[in-house]
Amino acid sequence: MLAALSRFKIPRRPSSELLLRCIFEQKVERGELSPLTLSSVTCSRKVGGVRDVSTSSTLCTKVRGNSKKTEMSEKKLTRHFVDHRRVKLVAGSGGKGASSFHSEPRKEWGGPDGGNGGDGGSIIIKADRFVKSLAQVVPLYKGEDGESGGSKNCYGRNGSPTYIRVPLGTVVKEQGKTILDMTEHGQEYLAAFGGAGGKGNRFFLSNENRSPMTATPGITGQERLLQLELRTMAHAGLVGFPNAGKSSLLRAITNARPAVAAYPFTTLNPHVGIVKYRDHEQVAVADIPGIIRGAHLNRGLGISFLRHIERCRFLLFVLDLSAQEPWTQLQHLRYELDQYEPGLSQRPQAIIANKMDLSEAQEKLETLKSHVSQRVIPVSALTGQNTEELILYLRELYDGYIQGGGNG
């Protein structure tokens, strides 16, 4: 029997190497691969005593690009930064009550056993320091409805609350009136109340009515239309005309990295940087987008970014010494701030004369000092000239703010 079976040879399965070579020969015939690629497959028979190892870079390696991350452009950053939203809140409705009667053998008159419905879910606005923008806030929020009651005195489940996470500094408004200013981490505001659940017929049981048939539906949840506005929370704000060097100055004195270019309106959204001192004190400085004449009339970027200056306790006016008359920029900036909010330009401030690396800057600096009575700090954001004096004076303004009880 064994001799008879030995006459039949069991067909061998083709090896993976042979199949791979057949596949590549077909691709070479169709013109999808070059003959050089096919020749590299033959090198994969046995390399160093290891089978099925290919030395072809075309087959086994993956072309990788530059692993270094490129900085996101200001245009892309603007897509992720939203400082105002209009949201409609619809809280969950309560579940309806049940109307049923208990029934079991030998207990004909069991009485009503309909349970109450669950309460609808409320909508809560919560301040979160890890959220930096209102971009994730959607226009409509619908709370979860409560479940209906059941027989055997089963109550419906309450709807879960819906949380809207907003960054610190968000102002909640309704019909133009400020309701709440959220400035602390974890602060919550119950924006829309969920509807109460309906009552089952068990609730209406009394001595006068032993078999009530009444069951009430749930109450509709509260609906509100709110406006959310984000105002940057920073101690100091850099205020100046477009292309005055505010972003470059922020890069020179803080760890922020806003976009810098040689054209106006490079900064399209506020950037906040931190100035760190040796005593571990930190001062936040905000780069406000460029203000132009008529900004209080919503020209240019308009009032959408003027409101970010409201929270700044002291102002840093950045003047461009490459302009013909830099002292006139200060007058126009103060006028725009006062037109937006009276007295805004009277806060503690510093005048910064930027671009001192230019040849004509020294002559214009002397003229600027003769036109203003406040202290002028000459700096060069490009070379870092005299930025130490600005940082020290910034600390003096901050200490005065703290000693004044944090009221500016």
Side-chain angles (χ1 to χ4, degrees), residues 11-192:
R12 295 182 178 179
R13 297 180 61 184
S15 63
S16 58
E17 179 184 345
L18 183 59
L19 290 175
L20 183 63
R21 184 173 181 81
C22 293
I23 292 173
F24 275 90
E25 286 179 351
Q26 294 177 1
K27 290 188 176 183
V28 170
E29 293 177 358
R30 292 196 296 264
E32 298 179 4
L33 292 176
S34 63
L36 294 177
T37 306
L38 179 63
S39 62
S40 63
V41 180
T42 58
C43 300
S44 63
R45 280 190 172 183
K46 193 173 183 181
V47 181
V50 181
R51 291 185 176 276
D52 299 330
V53 176
S54 175
T55 59
S56 172
S57 60
T58 308
L59 299 177
C60 298
T61 60
K62 183 178 180 181
V63 179
R64 298 182 179 180
N66 189 7
S67 59
K68 183 179 180 181
K69 289 186 178 180
T70 58
E71 293 186 2
M72 190 177 294
S73 64
E74 188 72 22
K75 186 176 182 180
K76 293 182 179 179
L77 284 172
T78 307
R79 298 175 186 173
H80 302 284
F81 183 86
V82 179
D83 61 348
H84 63 279
R85 282 290 194 193
R86 186 177 181 181
V87 295
K88 182 179 180 179
L89 308 180
V90 181
S93 302
K96 60 183 180 180
S99 178
S100 62
F101 291 87
H102 183 71
S103 177
E104 63 177 292
R106 304 183 187 88
K107 196 172 184 180
E108 185 177 357
W109 308 103
D113 65 348
N116 299 338
D119 297 335
S122 302
I123 300 179
I124 302 173
I125 301 177
K126 185 175 182 179
D128 190 347
R129 63 182 179 183
F130 299 105
V131 180
K132 303 301 180 183
S133 172
L134 296 175
Q136 77 283 355
V137 178
V138 296
L140 175 63
Y141 282 91
K142 180 71 170 65
E144 183 181 357
D145 296 335
E147 293 185 355
S148 301
S151 59
K152 300 181 181 179
N153 296 318
C154 292
Y155 284 33
R157 185 176 65 87
N158 296 334
S160 302
T162 302
Y163 286 91
I164 305 176
R165 301 188 179 275
V166 296
L168 298 181
T170 301
V171 178
V172 183
K173 292 185 177 182
E174 185 175 18
Q175 297 180 355
K177 297 181 179 179
T178 301
I179 301 175
L180 182 66
D181 190 357
M182 312 192 72
T183 58
E184 298 180 1
H185 176 67
Q187 184 179 358
E188 295 184 359
Y189 170 62
L190 186 56

Side-chain angles (χ1 to χ4, degrees), residues 185-394:
H185 176 67
Q187 184 179 358
E188 295 184 359
Y189 170 62
L190 186 56
F193 291 91
K199 304 299 182 181
N201 63 340
R202 174 71 181 180
F203 177 81
F204 299 97
L205 178 64
S206 64
N207 292 332
E208 292 78 14
N209 189 2
R210 303 303 299 173
S211 57
M213 301 289 293
T214 306
T216 60
I219 300 176
T220 306
Q222 186 182 10
E223 294 188 15
R224 298 182 71 180
L225 186 62
L226 301 178
Q227 295 85 32
L228 303 179
E229 294 183 359
L230 174 60
R231 298 176 182 176
T232 303
M233 298 186 64
H235 301 104
L238 296 175
V239 184
F241 281 99
N243 211 23
K246 300 183 298 299
S247 299
S248 301
L249 185 61
L250 187 68
R251 294 172 68 105
I253 64 176
T254 68
N255 56 352
R257 289 296 176 265
V260 176
Y263 52 85
F265 294 107
T266 307
T267 303
L268 299 178
N269 58 280
H271 294 270
V272 179
I274 303 297
V275 180
K276 299 181 180 180
Y277 294 90
R278 294 183 179 180
D279 58 350
H280 306 287
E281 195 68 61
Q282 296 181 352
V283 178
V285 181
D287 175 20
I288 309 299
I291 300 175
I292 65 173
R293 298 180 185 179
H296 68 281
L297 301 175
N298 213 15
R299 295 177 182 173
L301 296 179
I303 61 176
S304 60
F305 291 106
L306 275 174
R307 61 169 168 261
H308 291 279
I309 309 178
E310 294 182 30
R311 293 190 184 274
C312 299
R313 296 298 92 194
F314 33 92
L315 307 176
L316 304 178
F317 290 101
V318 182
L319 305 182
D320 186 3
L321 291 183
S322 63
Q324 294 295 332
E325 297 179 348
W327 50 90
T328 60
Q329 296 183 359
L330 181 62
Q331 300 174 1
H332 293 307
L333 290 174
R334 288 176 173 173
Y335 174 78
E336 294 297 331
L337 296 182
D338 288 335
Q339 291 297 315
Y340 174 73
E341 181 182 339
L344 184 58
S345 66
Q346 303 302 322
R347 295 184 180 181
Q349 57 191 253
I351 301 175
I352 303 173
N354 194 18
K355 302 183 180 180
M356 283 297 298
D357 52 294
L358 301 178
S359 57
E360 69 277 7
Q362 188 63 37
E363 181 181 354
K364 292 182 179 180
L365 176 63
E366 300 299 330
T367 309
L368 174 62
K369 290 182 178 180
S370 63
H371 282 79
V372 297
S373 58
Q374 292 87 354
R375 178 180 178 181
V376 179
I377 303 177
V379 298
S380 174
L382 181 63
T383 62
Q385 175 186 350
N386 205 30
T387 55
E388 296 83 1
E389 181 182 354
L390 172 60
I391 294 175
L392 293 177
Y393 187 68
L394 190 62

